[in-house]
Amino acid sequence: MKLIADVGLVGFPNAGKSTLISKISAARPLIADYPFTTLVPNLGVVDLGETESLVVADIPGLIEGAHQGHGLGIQFLRHIERTKILVHLIDISPLTQRDPVRDYEVIQNELKAFNPDLLARKQIIAANKIDLLSENQQERLTAVKKLARRERKPFVAISAATGEGLASLVSSIARMLKDEKKEKLDED
């Protein structure tokens, strides 16, 4: 397998993947408020210290039916196959008027329909756009936290736009990659 990145950012269009990669690396992807701004993966190198770094791929947004080619989905799903771990970015803002848990399920179903092995990849669930939640909209965040607990996946609440939670997300990614590397060494 030819890897393009250590980490693949997956999620619906406009979930904030391009904003996230622009905040944690020197990558400068096109960022706009319309679907499918990103048509090819953007790669960014995240510095973890003097001698360590990791490569993150901003994968173009997936939609329901992606495994059947909707929204150029098959091309986008092929890029996901070339990453070690996934960060599933979920837009929890009320602006989408979508159910964030349902969004997660749709993307997981698309991964499974395209290549069931993708579900075996380690994933972090990141609830994005927490800065857009009012006090009476916190149930959206709570629902995604419960989902992560049920799925037994690490969870991080972030705002890619403001930077809140990004240090925690990068730490979680680095830790997961170290664990992945250790597991591979133990297998060999």
Side-chain angles (χ1 to χ4, degrees), residues 67 102 104-114 119:
H67 74 282
R102 169 92 173 105
Y104 170 83
E105 292 166 350
V106 166
I107 299 299
Q108 293 297 342
N109 289 335
E110 293 303 320
L111 295 175
K112 181 179 179 183
F114 179 73
L119 293 185

Side-chain angles (χ1 to χ4, degrees), residues 30-145:
L30 175 64
I31 299 171
D33 192 19
Y34 56 86
F36 301 110
T37 307
T38 304
L39 294 175
V40 295
N42 291 296
L43 300 178
V45 177
V46 179
D47 288 324
L48 299 175
E50 286 184 34
T51 60
E52 291 185 277
S53 63
L54 59 92
V55 178
V56 177
D58 167 15
I59 306 293
L62 298 171
I63 59 172
E64 196 160 15
H67 74 282
Q68 298 168 323
H70 297 198
L72 300 176
I74 291 174
Q75 292 168 325
F76 300 165
L77 286 161
R78 284 186 184 136
H79 296 303
I80 296 168
E81 288 182 310
R82 298 171 62 200
T83 62
K84 291 180 187 175
I85 68 170
L86 304 175
V87 172
H88 192 133
L89 205 61
I90 302 172
D91 180 346
I92 63 165
S93 76
L95 304 176
T96 65
Q97 298 183 358
R98 291 192 320 259
D99 176 358
V101 172
R102 169 92 173 105
D103 284 359
Y104 170 83
E105 292 166 350
V106 166
I107 299 299
Q108 293 297 342
N109 289 335
E110 293 303 320
L111 295 175
K112 181 179 179 183
F114 179 73
N115 179 349
D117 293 341
L118 291 175
L119 293 185
R121 301 259 166 98
K122 292 188 177 188
Q123 290 187 39
I124 296 171
I125 296 175
N128 190 27
K129 303 186 184 181
I130 59 174
D131 56 308
L132 299 177
L133 292 178
S134 66
E135 280 191 38
N136 62 348
Q137 296 167 328
Q138 294 299 312
E139 73 279 352
R140 296 176 70 79
L141 178 60
T142 302
V144 176
K145 280 183 191 176

Side-chain angles (χ1 to χ4, degrees), residues 6-7 24 46-49 52-56 84-87 122 124 154 156 166-182:
D6 298 304
V7 182
I24 62 174
V46 179
D47 288 324
L48 299 175
E52 291 185 277
S53 63
L54 59 92
V55 178
V56 177
K84 291 180 187 175
I85 68 170
L86 304 175
V87 172
K122 292 188 177 188
I124 296 171
V156 183
L166 296 188
S168 178
L169 176 61
V170 170
S171 293
S172 294
I173 291 169
R175 197 168 32 257
M176 188 173 278
L177 283 169
K178 278 184 184 174
D179 292 347
E180 178 83 6
K181 187 175 183 178
K182 185 179 182 305

